[in-house]
Amino acid sequence: MGGWAIAVHGGAGVDPNLPMERQDEAKKLLTRCLNLGISALRSSATAIDVVELVVRELETDPFFNSGRGSALTEKGTVEMEASIMDGNGRRCGAVSGLTTVKNPVSLARLVMEKSPHSYLAFSGAEEFAKQQGVEMVDNEHFITEDNVAMLKFAKEANAILFDYRIPIAGCAVEESPLKMNGLPISVYAPETVGCVVVDSQGNCAAATSTGGLMNKMCGRIGDSPLIGSGTYACDVCAVSCTGEGEAIIRGTLARDVAAVMEYKGLKLQEAVEFVIEKRLDGGGKAGMIAVSSTGEVVCGFNSFGMFRGCATEEGFMEVGIWN
């Protein structure tokens, strides 16, 4: 075993004109979350505990699109989703359509550990949350002024926006050649959050959480809660994806990284590069973070930038946005 390793992301695809102060804010948040995970790993925390801990922190901060600060539906409400997977036994839990659960990733873990199922959604997930006594808040808790303004902008543009952080002042939506399932959309950063960890015992875990797309249809489910697409962990590696959800779903990106490692004998770096190059059909844009059971850590993407950070037990640490 090569020791513990951790990676965190805040979404693939970044506005090239993102102001420096926003870039600095993102890097500070990613660094804080990395340090939180590093401290836990140095205290012998398990991989599954660390990914939940870090993603909870990201859900609590409104900067990225998860928990408080989630993107708004076409009706101006928040519908959140998350998943978590423990490579030790391939146990998993996922939730969708959450409107009042403060930390979706923790409810996903409760689905994994306290229910006979792997996935609960909408009213069933909310009822399960009440039964488990998790912290719940009004839907307004998750809504920020920035997102209300961005939804208004999206509706005026008649667009589904990936990047609801685009500065509104002087902003105009041009007709885009990019499409989702054959329909034109305006595309920028889908700022999903995620974390992958391999602990000192070589156990891997992954967790992913998001509010989805700005101005999305109510009931839309993306890749983040889908095991094998947005999240996957096994005895070989752990992966969390971000980007164009429909493309990630079609390519089952997270599972494919593990599959080519298992069946083709690729190393983690080779596997991530292979999947991004070969499995994103139709020009889909996405990114992923991954760790292997031997302590490797990789961040890969084909989009314009990805909010990301990683660290290893050997002392390596890096936080970045661009290529």
Side-chain angles (χ1 to χ4, degrees):
M1 292 184 294
W4 57 257
I6 180 173
V8 60
H9 74 76
V14 183
D15 179 4
N17 300 312
L18 187 69
M20 283 302 302
E21 58 267 26
R22 296 289 304 205
Q23 296 183 39
D24 292 341
E25 191 176 350
K27 289 179 179 179
K28 288 178 181 178
L29 175 55
L30 291 169
T31 300
R32 188 179 84 223
C33 291
L34 266 183
N35 284 329
L36 182 67
I38 289 169
S39 178
L41 285 164
R42 287 173 174 167
S43 299
S44 300
T46 63
I48 194 70
D49 286 340
V50 177
V51 294
E52 181 188 8
L53 175 71
V54 171
V55 172
R56 278 180 63 96
E57 185 73 10
L58 288 163
E59 289 174 340
T60 301
D61 193 293
F63 188 88
F64 291 125
N65 175 14
S66 65
R68 185 166 184 270
S70 285
L72 305 181
T73 69
E74 60 188 354
K75 293 184 179 180
T77 58
V78 165
E79 291 181 357
M80 301 167 290
E81 50 197 26
S83 62
I84 192 168
M85 189 164 186
D86 188 347
N88 185 13
R90 304 194 192 200
R91 302 179 306 143
C92 61
V95 289
S96 288
L98 300 183
T99 59
T100 63
V101 176
K102 188 174 182 180
N103 289 108
V105 70
S106 292
L107 185 62
R109 184 170 182 180
L110 286 170
V111 170
M112 177 178 74
E113 296 182 341
K114 302 295 184 179
S115 86
H117 307 301
S118 295
Y119 196 160
L120 294 175
F122 295 93
S123 60
E126 294 276 336
E127 182 60 32
F128 178 70
K130 293 176 184 177
Q131 294 171 1
Q132 295 299 313
V134 304
E135 186 173 2
M136 304 180 77
V137 294
D138 291 337
N139 197 249
E140 288 75 13
H141 166 82
F142 305 103
I143 300 173
T144 64
E145 291 183 8
D146 284 348
N147 287 350
V148 171
M150 209 60 221
L151 178 63
K152 181 176 182 293
F153 171 65
K155 286 185 174 297
E156 290 173 351
N158 193 28
I160 295 173
L161 296 183
F162 271 48
D163 184 9
Y164 56 94
R165 310 294 179 181
I166 300 172
I168 295 175
C171 194
V173 174
E174 299 178 358
E175 186 174 347
S176 173
L178 293 166
K179 296 182 178 182
M180 179 182 291
N181 285 345
L183 299 176
I185 56 171
S186 297
V187 178
Y188 263 108
E191 295 169 343
T192 296
V193 305
C195 181
V196 293
V197 168
V198 56
D199 59 30
S200 58
Q201 302 303 309
N203 296 316
C204 298
T208 313
S209 181
T210 190
L213 307 179
M214 180 63 70
N215 200 27
K216 67 182 180 181
M217 294 176 64
C218 292
R220 183 262 184 183
I221 294 173
D223 66 287
S224 297
L226 301 184
I227 299 301
S229 292
T231 305
Y232 193 74
C234 60
D235 57 355
V236 173
C237 66
V239 183
S240 174
C241 295
T242 171
E244 185 186 330
E246 279 66 12
I248 294 170
I249 292 170
R250 292 194 302 270
T252 58
L253 293 198
R255 167 57 190 160
D256 238 35
V257 172
V260 295
M261 291 181 72
E262 292 173 356
Y263 305 143
K264 293 176 69 72
L266 299 186
K267 297 293 186 182
L268 184 66
Q269 181 74 51
E270 297 171 320
V272 168
E273 291 175 354
F274 176 88
V275 169
I276 289 176
E277 179 181 353
K278 301 294 186 182
R279 295 294 181 261
L280 285 167
D281 302 329
K285 300 296 183 182
M288 61 178 65
I289 54 174
V291 293
S292 72
S293 59
T294 58
E296 301 165 289
V297 59
V298 175
C299 303
F301 53 97
N302 68 351
S303 56
F304 194 88
M306 180 171 76
F307 296 106
R308 65 196 187 278
C310 58
T312 67
E313 188 171 359
E314 296 176 347
F316 172 79
M317 182 172 176
E318 180 180 70
V319 174
I321 301 175
W322 314 112
N323 293 340

